[in-house]
Amino acid sequence: MKSADRGILSEHDLKKTSNKFVYGIMVFFILVMVFTMLYPILMTMFNGLKSNAEVNSFPPHFFPQEWHFSNLKDALNYIDLLMFLRNTLYIFVGNMIVTLIVLGLASFSISRMNVPYRKVFYFFFLMTLFIPATSYMIPNFVNLKELGLLNQYAAFWLPAGANTFYFLLLKNFFDGIHPEIFEAARIDGASEPRSFFSIAVPLSVPIFATLAIFIFSTAWNDWFWPSLVMHTEDKYTLATAIYKYVIAVKALNTNIKFAILFLVSLPPILVFLLFQKFIMRGVSLSAVKG
């Protein structure tokens, strides 16, 4: 067995009875964790394919007694998922552009340029991580109201340019790029913005892909802030629409609710399966160092 392929226990270690016992316990707990994570998803899917009477019956059945695939069609007819999905993607794309330009240039400046008191700025940004997000939610709302940006997508894009966690994550990544590359670019006459867009950005595709996943997850799951700043139905995000028109509605059949929730849960699962490599890399990069 190659050293790169070696796990926690090698084939030689597994020959010992005690190691086999410990390994079996580890596998058991992993299977329990997998089951606890998959159970809500599978239960949502199966409940979305049952009749309303069967969903509310007791004792409940895990698998449907009769499969009602028409529930998915009824779910799509009940709520305009495509419109709310479009609004969510607008927010995601705008936040991603702001993160790339504003936070990217700011973190590049602190990391690679001789900015006066840059360590002071760095520790100032680091200290803001200890401030709860709820404490500056009202000031953000008041500022956006005074600027006339309520019920506009800019109400999401503007605060995205002040995300300290993303800023420090980018700075940490830029610190790991060899400075000789940028010094050679300066000798060749490249300006700092040219070095950023031509050198730093292409080399930072992994971290920007990781941030894209984080930003997508936030735009997809957040419902409270959109419900505050968006006042018209045609501007609601998907999470806000699900809360207002599905979860909070008592007259809607339970099986249709589960069908809608299952359809909404599919895109994040697909995003995770396609970009799990970047997600795992993002977890390892999230430990910001000075």
Side-chain angles (χ1 to χ4, degrees):
M1 180 181 294
K2 297 181 180 179
S3 59
D5 299 330
R6 190 182 188 278
I8 299 176
L9 297 175
S10 65
E11 294 181 358
H12 177 73
D13 296 331
L14 288 175
K15 293 180 180 179
K16 297 181 180 179
T17 305
S18 59
N19 288 341
K20 285 184 179 181
F21 178 74
V22 173
Y23 184 76
I25 294 177
M26 293 171 58
V27 172
F28 172 76
F29 280 108
I30 291 175
L31 292 176
V32 171
M33 291 177 60
V34 171
F35 175 77
T36 56
M37 293 177 183
L38 289 180
Y39 179 79
I41 300 174
L42 295 176
M43 198 66 182
T44 302
M45 179 183 69
F46 291 140
N47 283 343
L49 298 176
K50 298 176 182 178
S51 64
N52 190 54
E54 186 179 355
V55 172
N56 295 303
S57 64
F58 187 84
H61 302 285
F62 185 74
F63 295 102
Q65 301 298 309
E66 294 183 4
W67 298 82
H68 295 266
F69 292 97
S70 60
N71 292 347
L72 300 177
K73 182 179 179 181
D74 295 338
L76 293 174
N77 292 332
Y78 173 77
I79 187 173
D80 193 351
L81 292 177
L82 294 179
M83 181 183 71
F84 300 126
L85 175 62
R86 179 198 64 193
N87 297 339
T88 304
L89 292 179
Y90 282 163
I91 295 173
F92 161 69
V93 173
N95 288 354
M96 193 64 208
I97 294 175
V98 170
T99 300
L100 172 63
I101 297 177
V102 178
L103 295 181
L105 288 171
S107 57
F108 180 78
S109 301
I110 296 295
S111 176
R112 290 304 173 190
M113 296 177 62
N114 190 19
V115 178
Y117 306 107
R118 63 178 182 176
K119 288 189 176 181
V120 176
F121 288 120
Y122 171 76
F123 285 109
F124 170 78
F125 291 131
L126 190 62
M127 286 188 297
T128 60
L129 291 177
F130 295 93
I131 302 176
T134 53
S135 64
Y136 51 79
M137 185 174 293
I138 295 178
N140 277 344
F141 179 83
V142 173
N143 290 335
L144 293 172
K145 182 178 180 180
E146 293 179 351
L147 293 173
L149 296 179
L150 294 182
N151 206 37
Q152 304 291 332
Y153 292 114
F156 300 91
W157 300 339
L158 191 61
N163 192 305
T164 304
F165 176 73
Y166 295 164
F167 168 81
L168 296 176
L169 201 61
L170 285 169
K171 180 194 176 298
N172 182 63
F173 190 87
F174 290 146
D175 288 342
I177 301 177
H178 294 292
E180 292 82 4
I181 300 176
F182 300 104
E183 293 175 1
R186 294 189 187 98
I187 294 174
D188 292 338
S191 61
E192 298 300 339
R194 177 72 179 276
S195 298
F196 173 74
F197 287 105
S198 300
I199 300 176
V201 172
L203 293 176
S204 305
V205 170
I207 188 62
F208 281 113
T210 301
L211 290 180
I213 295 170
F214 290 162
I215 295 171
F216 174 81
S217 176
T218 301
W220 191 268
N221 296 323
D222 188 19
W223 67 271
F224 184 72
W225 180 250
S227 65
L228 286 179
V229 299
M230 293 301 191
H231 303 151
T232 58
E233 180 181 347
D234 60 333
K235 293 291 185 67
Y236 283 165
T237 62
L238 193 60
T240 303
I242 292 299
Y243 176 76
K244 288 181 176 290
Y245 302 135
V246 179
I247 297 177
V249 177
K250 297 182 179 180
L252 182 62
N253 289 341
T254 308
N255 60 337
I256 303 300
K257 287 186 178 183
F258 277 109
I260 296 174
L261 294 176
F262 171 67
L263 291 175
V264 172
S265 65
L266 286 179
I269 295 175
L270 295 177
V271 169
F272 174 81
L273 293 177
L274 292 175
F275 299 101
Q276 58 178 323
K277 176 178 65 175
F278 294 112
I279 295 177
M280 295 300 103
R281 185 177 300 176
V283 172
S284 63
L285 289 172
S286 59
V288 180
K289 62 181 180 179

